[in-house]
Amino acid sequence: MAPKHHPAPLSGGDRKALAKELGRPRAMTTILEAQAAEARAKGEALIRTADKLLAESWNERMWADGGPIDPSPTVDQAINGGYPWLEIECSRCKTKRDVDLAALRYPPTTAVHDLASRLRCSKCAKANRRPAATLLQLAQRPRQAAPET
């Protein structure tokens, strides 16, 4: 939308009145923008808290029931909630590994429980076997730091 054009009045009193009238909405715009930014920050904090609680709830259900529980948080919800790591275990050799969810090539809207059939053990792949991984839980950090090279 094009900005409104207010022609400047010829008399000095009318120019002052117009400047005063135009100043009010400009001041109100600044106030409303600040309120919108504050509300957005509060909303993002609430969404982050909700995502964290969703990840913790899923971890508790995984611990209690075992197996990939449906529904699960999506990859972007887990990352936003502070749980960017997924602990998995090979169903064949029982090797445990941490997977960085941010590094996965799947869309961020992929549910975590859907990753169970897609993740494979790299150790067993060398022996020409491709067993599916068992999901253990979401984690805030990897169990052990990666070896530095």
Side-chain angles (χ1 to χ4, degrees):
M1 182 192 309
K4 291 185 179 180
H5 176 68
H6 302 284
L10 298 176
S11 68
D14 289 342
R15 279 196 308 266
K16 288 179 185 176
L18 180 62
K20 185 176 180 182
E21 285 297 317
L22 292 177
R24 286 185 188 137
R26 289 180 182 141
M28 194 63 182
T29 301
T30 305
I31 292 169
L32 292 175
E33 286 175 353
Q35 288 176 349
E38 182 180 331
R40 184 174 306 281
K42 285 181 185 178
E44 288 172 355
L46 287 173
I47 290 172
R48 227 178 348 271
T49 302
D51 289 344
K52 179 180 180 185
L53 293 173
L54 183 62
E56 290 174 355
S57 168
W58 189 75
N59 278 346
E60 291 298 322
R61 285 186 293 143
M62 285 289 292
W63 183 83
D65 300 336
I69 304 296
D70 180 22
S72 65
T74 61
V75 171
D76 58 348
Q77 287 175 331
I79 292 170
N80 189 39
Y83 287 85
W85 294 92
L86 177 64
E87 294 180 10
I88 63 171
E89 180 181 61
C90 176
S91 58
R92 181 177 171 271
C93 67
K94 304 299 182 200
T95 302
K96 293 184 180 180
R97 185 173 66 123
D98 296 320
V99 177
D100 184 6
L101 293 175
L104 292 177
R105 293 179 301 207
Y106 301 109
T109 55
T110 303
V112 172
H113 74 274
D114 288 339
L115 297 175
S117 61
R118 299 176 185 182
L119 297 174
R120 305 286 181 204
C121 177
S122 58
K123 184 177 176 184
C124 292
K126 294 175 185 170
N128 291 330
R129 291 184 176 83
R130 303 285 292 164
T134 303
L135 304 182
L136 299 178
Q137 69 177 0
L138 291 168
Q140 292 180 333
R141 58 186 160 281
R143 286 176 289 137
Q144 40 189 302
E148 295 181 17
T149 54

